[in-house]
């Protein structure tokens, strides 16, 4: 939602000022980048999201004002709220020297492949959900109500299986992500039932997000993707530990890497996936596996599905997609 809000503000200001369409588009990008920078405390990821996904334009003329907007927004929100990283990771989370040896690379690649595949499942499921709700013979304003009812039924079913309490797949998922990023949480758990619960939460989160957005309800893609990625990574780490390939507690690191890989898979934007997770945690030691898994996930997703979660609807509407330079040549 903050991308829509920020873009709307930027576009409206540009139109009020009577600017040329190109400058209005730049202000739209400024608003989107500023919104992401403020909400996620991630100015670099906000800039790259706009450059990779919204504008597809890396020219200095566009880059400069977007960077300024993101920096001002991030500095303003930090000055008001004094927020640190959204997901704090302790010093015990840091990798020991030499742990990123060549033998670890296959594990990060497999995790990237898993996130790439599940990202495509999410894209296809959301598209199918949207089409199903569109076919329901009710006014457009009634579809979100049906989606809310569907989500309520799913929540009741989850209570019957997982026990009382607010369903973990409701909301932005930040509490569950925080728990998954705590290495000590894995040391006190029976790994088998925990892996089963994480897989169930993954399915519930995927279905619940499709119900919410597919029916026309308000919701974003970043938070659900982050939670699903953490669930995939945590489950994968538990599986490696079951085969004696990991020390106890290290599934938390795979949960962190899975967050970046899933965002990259769903958006087809590896730089955004890498940097938003880095800025959310401010934990540089994990940057190498973030980079590898995010790129593998993006390549996998693009191979299996032509469109990202953002571009699929645009292509259906007949809106041309591609680099800005190509569109300029076609226009001329």
């Amino acid at each position: 939602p903050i991308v829509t809000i920020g873009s709307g503000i930027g576009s409206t200001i540009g139109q009020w000022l009577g600017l040329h369409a190109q400058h209005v588009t730049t202000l739209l990008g400024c608003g989107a980048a500023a919104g992401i920078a403020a909400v996620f405390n991630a100015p670099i990821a906000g800039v790259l999201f706009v450059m990779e996904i919204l504008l597809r334009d890396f020219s200095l003329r566009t880059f400069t004002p977007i960077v300024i907007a993101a920096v001002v927004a991030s500095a303003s929100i930090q000055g008001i709220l004094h927020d640190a990283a959204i997901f704090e990771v302790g010093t015990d989370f840091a990798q020991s020297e030499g742990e990123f040896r060549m033998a670890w690379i296959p594990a990060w690649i497999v995790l990237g492949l898993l996130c790439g595949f599940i990202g495509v499942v999410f894209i296809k499921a959301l598209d199918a959900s949207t089409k199903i709700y569109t076919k329901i013979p009710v006014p457009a304003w009634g579809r979100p109500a049906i989606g809310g009812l569907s989500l309520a039924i799913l929540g009741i079913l989850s209570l019957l299986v997982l026990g009382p309490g607010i369903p973990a797949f409701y909301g932005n998922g930040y509490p569950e992500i925080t728990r998954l990023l705590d290495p000590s949480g894995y040391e006190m758990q029976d790994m088998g039932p925990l892996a089963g619960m994480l897989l169930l939460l993954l399915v519930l989160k995927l279905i619940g997000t499709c119900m919410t957005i597919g029916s026309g309800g308000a919701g974003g893609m970043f938070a659900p993707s982050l939670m699903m990625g953490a669930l995939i990574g945590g489950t994968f780490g538990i599986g490696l530990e079951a085969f004696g390939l990991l020390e106890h507690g290290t599934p938390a690191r795979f949960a962190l890497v899975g967050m970046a890989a899933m965002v990259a898979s769903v958006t087809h934007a590896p730089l955004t996936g890498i940097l938003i997770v880095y800025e959310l945690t401010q934990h540089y030691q994990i940057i190498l596996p973030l980079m590898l898994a995010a790129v593998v996930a993006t390549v996998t997703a693009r191979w299996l599905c032509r469109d990202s979660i953002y571009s699929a609807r645009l292509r259906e509407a007949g809106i041309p997609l591609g680099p800005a330079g190509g569109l300029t040549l076609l226009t001329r």
Side-chain angles (χ1 to χ4, degrees), residues 165-183:
I166 298 175
F169 67 95
Y170 277 8
N172 57 24
Y174 286 1
E176 190 65 25
I177 294 174
T178 302
R179 190 176 72 83
L180 289 167
L181 296 181
D182 181 9

Side-chain angles (χ1 to χ4, degrees), residues 289-324:
L290 285 184
M291 293 167 63
L292 179 59
V295 168
V296 171
T298 305
V299 171
T300 303
R302 284 183 174 176
W303 181 60
L304 294 173
C305 182
R306 179 184 183 185
D307 292 310
S308 73
I309 207 154
Y310 293 108
S311 64
R313 195 76 61 83
L314 296 177
R315 195 178 298 279
E316 287 181 4
I319 298 174
L321 299 172

Side-chain angles (χ1 to χ4, degrees), residues 67 104 107 110 147 202 218 249 282 323 330:
V67 167
W104 280 87
V110 173
L202 172 63
Q282 297 180 8
L330 288 173

